[in-house]
Amino acid sequence: MGGKAKISIVFPAYNEEKYITLAVKDFLSTDIVDEVIVIDNNSKDRTAKRAKKAGARVIKETRQGYGWAMRRGLKEAKGDIIITAEPDGTFRGKDIHKLLAYSDDLDVVFGTRTTPQLIHEGAKMDPFLELGNFAVAKLLQILHGGPRLTDVGCSMKLIKRPALKKVLRQFKVGGSHFSPEFMIVTIRSNLKCLEIPVNYHKRVGDSKITSDFWKSFKLGLVMIWLIISRKFTD
Ligand SMILES: Nc1nc2c(ncn2[C@@H]2O[C@H](COP(=O)(O)OP(=O)(O)OP(=O)(O)O)[C@@H](O)[C@H]2O)c(=O)[nH]1
Ligand SMILES: [Mg+2]
């Protein structure tokens, strides 16, 4: 990539007032980030106000859902390199360097939260979630011809602008299973993809997607169905 690549961070946010200020500041403090975009997904708390005050560009997305928020963020990002994460304390700004280390050679970098040495105290990655993520990731890898995969639910990812242009219109998922759709679409579009370990910390604030066993279990089934059906429909 010629010249200095501009970097955008995308945060989907639904009632994340407890950590949004620190998250925006943490990612901006890396000094290589050009913009932090917070997609406010109908938050009823002070998420938007705090994000703006911390230096983020705040965009309102009214279609409710993790996928809708992520897709809107990817669409609005202006950078040459777009990095997605979550503003809930689980990811760290310093880890963007890990993803960026591969961006010269690859189009897309997926994070994985299932590396034991990088799972920190209190992080929600119990043996069930770890094994579940691993098994579903292997299914995705095998059915769609992906790189080595160990996690299907990690929001921390990197995509370069030319690659994003190729895939943005192919996304259909608005819900919590957007992460595997992102992986399937980028892999099947013959983009060069790789998965790398990132740090995974304890969440700050209320968990929405995987707050209990049954929610996680149901989401796992939805992901499995997506992975199998996309093998035969696209
Ligand atoms: N659940 C949910 N999350 C949304 C929505 N819109 C945006 N988000 C954001 O998407 C990210 C993922 O949601 P989380 O509740 O953190 O779910 P998770 O990462 O699977 O699980 P935990 O971090 O352990 O709670 C967060 O940054 C949310 O604020 C939405 O409609 N529903
Ligand atoms: Mg989270």
Side-chain angles (χ1 to χ4, degrees):
M1 208 168 276
K4 191 187 163 291
K6 283 200 164 35
I7 299 172
S8 300
I9 304 294
V10 169
F11 284 145
Y14 177 53
N15 294 341
E16 299 291 359
E17 69 172 11
K18 287 197 177 134
Y19 196 78
I20 194 84
T21 303
L22 280 175
V24 172
K25 287 188 175 168
D26 177 33
F27 279 68
L28 281 175
S29 74
T30 55
D31 280 341
I32 51 165
V33 166
D34 294 278
E35 61 170 1
V36 174
I37 306 172
V38 170
I39 306 298
D40 174 27
N41 206 196
N42 303 315
S43 297
K44 288 169 190 65
D45 63 4
R46 286 162 292 182
T47 298
K49 206 172 156 199
R50 289 188 177 176
K52 199 168 169 208
K53 200 170 166 212
R57 178 152 71 93
V58 179
I59 293 161
K60 197 168 172 56
E61 172 56 60
T62 52
R63 288 168 295 186
Q64 190 71 55
Y66 169 75
W68 288 118
M70 290 290 271
R71 287 165 62 184
R72 181 71 189 275
L74 291 169
K75 193 172 157 203
E76 299 283 349
K78 296 192 175 114
D80 305 301
I81 293 177
I82 298 98
I83 295 173
T84 59
E86 290 178 25
D88 62 1
T90 50
F91 298 106
R92 290 290 181 271
K94 66 172 186 161
D95 275 359
I96 68 174
H97 295 290
K98 296 187 174 76
L99 305 181
L100 286 167
Y102 289 95
S103 64
D104 270 353
D105 301 317
L106 300 157
D107 302 311
V108 183
V109 187
F110 311 130
T112 172
R113 308 159 299 169
T114 60
T115 309
Q117 294 81 356
L118 295 180
I119 300 173
H120 298 266
E121 209 183 325
K124 198 153 64 2
M125 192 51 74
D126 58 36
F128 165 74
L129 273 180
E130 196 178 328
L131 192 69
N133 262 303
F134 185 84
V136 182
K138 284 296 158 210
L139 183 72
L140 196 160
Q141 176 187 328
I142 293 161
L143 285 188
H144 297 283
R148 187 174 60 228
L149 298 175
T150 60
D151 191 2
V152 276
C154 183
S155 292
M156 196 152 194
K157 295 186 174 77
L158 175 154
I159 185 162
K160 292 202 287 198
R161 174 145 308 279
L164 180 61
K165 232 175 138 184
K166 212 171 160 187
V167 296
L168 195 55
R169 290 218 193 101
Q170 297 183 50
F171 298 132
K172 296 174 193 154
V173 171
S176 304
H177 53 308
F178 173 71
S179 175
E181 181 185 52
F182 181 99
M183 298 165 88
I184 292 167
V185 168
T186 51
I187 290 166
R188 291 184 76 92
S189 299
N190 292 322
L191 298 173
K192 278 202 224 166
C193 306
L194 178 76
E195 184 195 79
I196 65 151
V198 294
N199 285 290
Y200 195 53
H201 289 266
K202 185 177 180 351
R203 193 197 210 289
V204 179
D206 296 333
S207 178
K208 288 117 202 170
I209 298 179
T210 53
S211 51
D212 64 46
F213 172 85
W214 287 111
K215 270 189 168 181
S216 306
F217 185 73
K218 269 194 245 166
L219 179 59
L221 292 180
V222 172
M223 287 182 172
I224 290 169
W225 175 246
L226 175 87
I227 292 164
I228 294 173
S229 60
R230 287 292 171 89
K231 167 75 181 163
F232 302 103
T233 52
D234 292 337

